[in-house]
Amino acid sequence: MQPKVNIMHLPVYQPGKPIEDVKRELGLDEVIKLASNENPIGYSPKARAAMLDEIDHLHIYPDGASVDLTAVLASKLGVESNQIIFGTGSSDIILMICRAYLTAADETIMADETFSQYKHNCEVENTNIIEVPLKDGKHDLNAMLAAVTERTKVLWICNPNNPTGTIIGREELEAFLAKLPKHVLVVLDEAYGEYVTDPNFPNGITLIDRYPNIVVLRTFSKVYGLAANRIGYGVGEASVIRTINQVREPFNTGRLAQVAAKASLQDDEFLARSQASNTAGLNYLHAQFDRLGLQYFKGHGNFIMVDVRTPSMQIFDLLLRKGIIVRAGWKHYPNAIRVSVGTAEQNEKFIQALEEVLIELAVLQ
Ligand SMILES: Cc1ncc(COP(=O)(O)O)c(C=O)c1O
């Protein structure tokens, strides 16, 4: 048996270490996972009630087109229903875009570093990948523009960027879109967009009328706290969404995911509580990094990349022994860890552990 040659080098995705494994391996009672940018306060109680209501219908296939959920979301976003597609998380939309648009003859442009799944799915399609280094942790839009050729099919922008947490402002993005040739599909991944408080942050959906070559990605995994339920969506011009729909699996979102997503959209209180808790956490962590004299990229999502002036895998291991899981091992930021914003208590425990570790290593006095 011979798989596709272009996938033979691909690693199997390594998720953040599961809490239960760490507890067992290190004999710890309490482990705090700040590694996967999840919502530390859970998910909407209205979503829970909606799922319990749906629980007796799991023997019947879900509505493949998510008609009910689409209608609620379309009215909330001010777009038509045929401008929305749902996926098994927004990762599924990334996969579908690659499947629908990219071949071995095409080129695709993305930042280096950014969310790993763009590159992974482009590699599966054997597409020529052009990676443009970040500049000060931000997408270098001028360099990305300069990399466009007539073979460029898809260009990926992660706003805020994972892992650096930086954002591209409205004017900068619009100037870029105005210059970008129209044959390039821009994927604007706003997985963390709901967390951003900077008034300069662009809402990609408002740009679709003027730039029909944009697809905006969002997810219920982050601020809505439904990461395990696997549901996310794409918004774009109707013909683009139709193309992506052509490669969609028939039942790619389940009943529980659909009803939970719909109820979450109708729970403004939970959304506001999640956003407020995150903003307080970002402010606290930024202030603590300042106190400790550590450099960081100001986080605009629900995570921060901070320079710990030590090989990050060493810090990862030392924090793990203290029951804190973070993300480390970034190609261009070997001394940086990415920490997700937790609850106030988790953030304090993380800072305490980090400070102890950095004092033990004599990075801090
Ligand atoms: C930037 C970005 N986009 C998309 C996703 C995918 O999220 P999901 O598939 O859970 O919707 C993630 C997950 O971490 C992410 O960081």
Side-chain angles (χ1 to χ4, degrees), residues 276-313:
S277 156
N278 188 67
T279 302
L282 283 176
N283 290 341
Y284 169 78
L285 291 171
H286 288 150
Q288 291 299 315
F289 295 148
D290 286 338
R291 177 179 68 78
L292 298 174
L294 298 175
Q295 299 216 311
Y296 56 88
F297 291 120
K298 184 169 185 256
H300 291 270
N302 65 344
F303 56 91
I304 304 173
M305 183 181 256
V306 56
D307 184 340
V308 284
R309 305 207 295 263
T310 313
S312 66
M313 291 315 295

Coordinates of all heavy atoms in Angstrom, one line a residue, residues 276-313:
A276 N -15.7 39.5 29.2 CA -15.2 40.3 30.3 C -14.1 39.5 31.1 O -13.1 40.1 31.5 CB -16.3 40.7 31.2
S277 N -14.4 38.2 31.3 CA -13.4 37.4 32.1 C -12.1 37.4 31.3 O -11.0 37.5 31.9 CB -14.0 36.0 32.2 OG -13.0 35.1 32.4
N278 N -12.1 37.3 30.0 CA -10.9 37.2 29.2 C -10.2 38.5 29.2 O -8.9 38.6 29.3 CB -11.3 36.8 27.7 CG -10.1 36.6 26.9 OD1 -9.3 35.6 27.1 ND2 -9.8 37.5 25.9
T279 N -10.9 39.6 29.1 CA -10.2 40.9 29.1 C -9.5 41.2 30.4 O -8.4 41.6 30.4 CB -11.2 42.1 28.8 OG1 -11.9 41.8 27.5 CG2 -10.6 43.4 28.7
A280 N -10.2 40.8 31.5 CA -9.6 41.0 32.8 C -8.3 40.1 32.9 O -7.3 40.5 33.4 CB -10.6 40.6 33.9
G281 N -8.4 38.9 32.4 CA -7.3 37.9 32.4 C -6.1 38.5 31.6 O -4.9 38.4 32.0
L282 N -6.4 39.0 30.4 CA -5.3 39.6 29.5 C -4.6 40.7 30.3 O -3.4 40.8 30.3 CB -5.9 40.1 28.2 CG -6.3 39.1 27.1 CD1 -6.9 39.8 25.9 CD2 -5.1 38.3 26.6
N283 N -5.5 41.6 30.8 CA -4.9 42.8 31.6 C -4.0 42.3 32.7 O -2.9 42.8 32.9 CB -6.0 43.7 32.1 CG -6.7 44.4 31.0 OD1 -6.2 44.5 29.9 ND2 -7.9 44.9 31.2
Y284 N -4.5 41.3 33.5 CA -3.7 40.8 34.6 C -2.4 40.2 34.1 O -1.3 40.5 34.6 CB -4.5 39.7 35.3 CG -3.7 39.0 36.3 CD1 -3.4 39.5 37.6 CD2 -3.2 37.7 36.0 CE1 -2.6 38.8 38.5 CE2 -2.4 37.0 36.9 CZ -2.1 37.5 38.2 OH -1.3 36.9 39.0
L285 N -2.4 39.4 33.1 CA -1.2 38.7 32.6 C -0.2 39.7 32.0 O 1.0 39.6 32.3 CB -1.6 37.6 31.6 CG -2.3 36.4 32.2 CD1 -2.8 35.4 31.1 CD2 -1.4 35.6 33.1
H286 N -0.7 40.6 31.2 CA 0.2 41.7 30.6 C 0.9 42.4 31.8 O 2.1 42.6 31.8 CB -0.6 42.7 29.8 CG -1.1 42.1 28.5 ND1 -2.3 42.6 27.9 CD2 -0.6 41.2 27.7 CE1 -2.4 41.9 26.7 NE2 -1.4 41.1 26.6
A287 N 0.1 42.8 32.8 CA 0.7 43.5 33.9 C 1.7 42.7 34.7 O 2.8 43.2 35.1 CB -0.4 44.0 34.9
Q288 N 1.4 41.4 34.8 CA 2.4 40.5 35.5 C 3.7 40.3 34.7 O 4.8 40.3 35.3 CB 1.8 39.2 35.8 CG 0.7 39.2 36.9 CD 1.2 39.7 38.2 OE1 2.2 39.3 38.7 NE2 0.4 40.7 38.8
F289 N 3.5 40.2 33.4 CA 4.7 40.1 32.6 C 5.6 41.3 32.6 O 6.8 41.3 32.7 CB 4.4 39.7 31.1 CG 3.7 38.4 30.9 CD1 2.7 38.2 29.9 CD2 4.0 37.3 31.7 CE1 2.1 36.9 29.8 CE2 3.4 36.1 31.6 CZ 2.5 35.9 30.6
D290 N 4.9 42.5 32.7 CA 5.6 43.8 32.8 C 6.4 43.8 34.2 O 7.5 44.1 34.2 CB 4.6 45.0 32.8 CG 4.1 45.2 31.4 OD1 4.8 44.8 30.4 OD2 3.0 45.9 31.3
R291 N 5.7 43.4 35.2 CA 6.3 43.3 36.6 C 7.6 42.4 36.5 O 8.6 42.8 37.1 CB 5.3 42.8 37.6 CG 5.8 42.7 39.0 CD 4.8 42.1 40.0 NE 4.4 40.8 39.8 CZ 5.1 39.7 40.1 NH1 6.3 39.8 40.7 NH2 4.7 38.5 39.9
L292 N 7.4 41.3 35.8 CA 8.6 40.4 35.8 C 9.6 40.8 34.8 O 10.7 40.1 34.7 CB 8.1 38.9 35.5 CG 7.1 38.3 36.5 CD1 6.6 37.0 36.0 CD2 7.8 38.2 37.9
G293 N 9.4 41.8 34.0 CA 10.3 42.3 33.0 C 10.4 41.3 31.8 O 11.5 41.2 31.2
L294 N 9.3 40.6 31.5 CA 9.3 39.7 30.4 C 8.7 40.4 29.2 O 7.7 41.1 29.3 CB 8.5 38.4 30.7 CG 9.1 37.6 31.9 CD1 8.1 36.4 32.2 CD2 10.5 37.0 31.6
Q295 N 9.3 40.1 28.0 CA 8.7 40.7 26.8 C 7.6 39.8 26.2 O 7.7 38.5 26.4 CB 9.8 40.8 25.7 CG 10.9 41.7 26.3 CD 11.5 42.6 25.1 OE1 11.8 42.1 24.1 NE2 11.6 43.9 25.4
Y296 N 6.6 40.4 25.6 CA 5.5 39.6 25.1 C 4.9 40.3 23.9 O 5.1 41.6 23.8 CB 4.4 39.3 26.2 CG 3.9 40.6 26.8 CD1 2.9 41.3 26.3 CD2 4.6 41.2 27.9 CE1 2.4 42.5 26.9 CE2 4.1 42.4 28.5 CZ 3.1 43.0 28.0 OH 2.6 44.2 28.5
F297 N 4.1 39.6 23.1 CA 3.3 40.3 22.1 C 1.9 40.5 22.8 O 1.4 39.6 23.4 CB 3.0 39.4 20.9 CG 4.3 39.2 20.1 CD1 4.8 37.9 19.9 CD2 4.9 40.2 19.5 CE1 5.9 37.7 19.1 CE2 6.1 40.0 18.7 CZ 6.5 38.8 18.5
K298 N 1.5 41.8 22.8 CA 0.2 42.1 23.4 C -0.9 41.1 22.8 O -1.0 41.1 21.6 CB -0.2 43.5 23.2 CG -1.4 44.0 23.9 CD -1.5 45.5 23.8 CE -2.7 45.9 24.7 NZ -3.9 46.3 23.9
G299 N -1.5 40.4 23.7 CA -2.5 39.4 23.2 C -3.9 40.1 22.9 O -4.3 40.9 23.7
H300 N -4.5 39.8 21.8 CA -5.8 40.3 21.5 C -6.8 39.2 21.5 O -8.0 39.5 21.4 CB -5.7 41.0 20.1 CG -4.9 42.3 20.1 ND1 -5.5 43.5 20.4 CD2 -3.6 42.5 19.9 CE1 -4.5 44.5 20.4 NE2 -3.4 43.9 20.1
G301 N -6.4 38.0 21.5 CA -7.4 36.9 21.6 C -7.5 36.4 23.0 O -7.7 37.2 23.9
N302 N -7.5 35.1 23.2 CA -7.5 34.6 24.6 C -6.2 33.9 25.0 O -6.2 32.9 25.7 CB -8.7 33.7 24.8 CG -8.7 32.4 24.0 OD1 -7.9 32.3 23.0 ND2 -9.5 31.4 24.3
F303 N -5.1 34.4 24.5 CA -3.8 33.8 24.8 C -2.7 34.9 24.5 O -3.0 35.9 23.9 CB -3.5 32.6 23.8 CG -3.7 33.0 22.4 CD1 -2.6 33.4 21.6 CD2 -4.9 32.9 21.7 CE1 -2.7 33.8 20.3 CE2 -5.1 33.3 20.4 CZ -3.9 33.8 19.7
I304 N -1.6 34.6 25.1 CA -0.4 35.6 25.0 C 0.8 34.8 24.7 O 1.1 33.7 25.3 CB -0.2 36.4 26.3 CG1 -1.5 37.1 26.7 CG2 0.9 37.4 26.1 CD1 -1.4 37.8 28.0
M305 N 1.7 35.3 23.8 CA 3.0 34.7 23.6 C 4.0 35.5 24.4 O 4.1 36.7 24.2 CB 3.3 34.6 22.1 CG 4.7 33.9 21.9 SD 5.1 33.9 20.2 CE 4.8 32.2 19.8
V306 N 4.7 34.9 25.3 CA 5.7 35.6 26.1 C 7.0 35.0 26.0 O 7.2 33.7 26.0 CB 5.1 35.6 27.6 CG1 4.9 34.2 28.1 CG2 6.1 36.4 28.5
D307 N 8.1 35.8 26.0 CA 9.4 35.4 25.9 C 10.0 35.1 27.2 O 10.1 36.0 28.1 CB 10.3 36.5 25.2 CG 11.7 36.1 24.9 OD1 12.2 35.2 25.6 OD2 12.3 36.8 24.1
V308 N 10.4 33.8 27.5 CA 10.8 33.4 28.8 C 12.3 33.3 28.9 O 12.9 32.8 29.9 CB 10.1 32.1 29.3 CG1 8.7 32.4 29.7 CG2 10.1 31.1 28.2
R309 N 13.0 33.8 27.9 CA 14.5 33.9 27.8 C 15.2 32.5 28.2 O 16.3 32.5 28.7 CB 14.9 35.0 28.8 CG 14.3 36.3 28.5 CD 15.1 37.5 29.0 NE 15.4 37.6 30.4 CZ 14.7 38.3 31.2 NH1 13.7 39.1 30.7 NH2 14.9 38.4 32.5
T310 N 14.5 31.4 27.8 CA 15.0 30.1 28.1 C 14.4 29.2 27.0 O 13.2 29.5 26.7 CB 14.5 29.6 29.5 OG1 14.7 30.6 30.4 CG2 15.2 28.3 29.9
P311 N 15.1 28.1 26.6 CA 14.4 27.3 25.6 C 13.0 26.8 26.1 O 12.9 26.3 27.2 CB 15.4 26.1 25.5 CG 16.7 26.7 25.8 CD 16.5 27.8 26.8
S312 N 12.0 27.0 25.3 CA 10.7 26.9 25.8 C 10.3 25.5 26.2 O 9.5 25.4 27.1 CB 9.7 27.5 24.7 OG 9.7 26.6 23.6
M313 N 10.9 24.5 25.6 CA 10.5 23.1 26.0 C 11.0 22.9 27.5 O 10.3 22.1 28.2 CB 11.1 22.1 25.1 CG 10.5 22.1 23.7 SD 8.7 22.1 23.7 CE 8.2 20.6 24.4

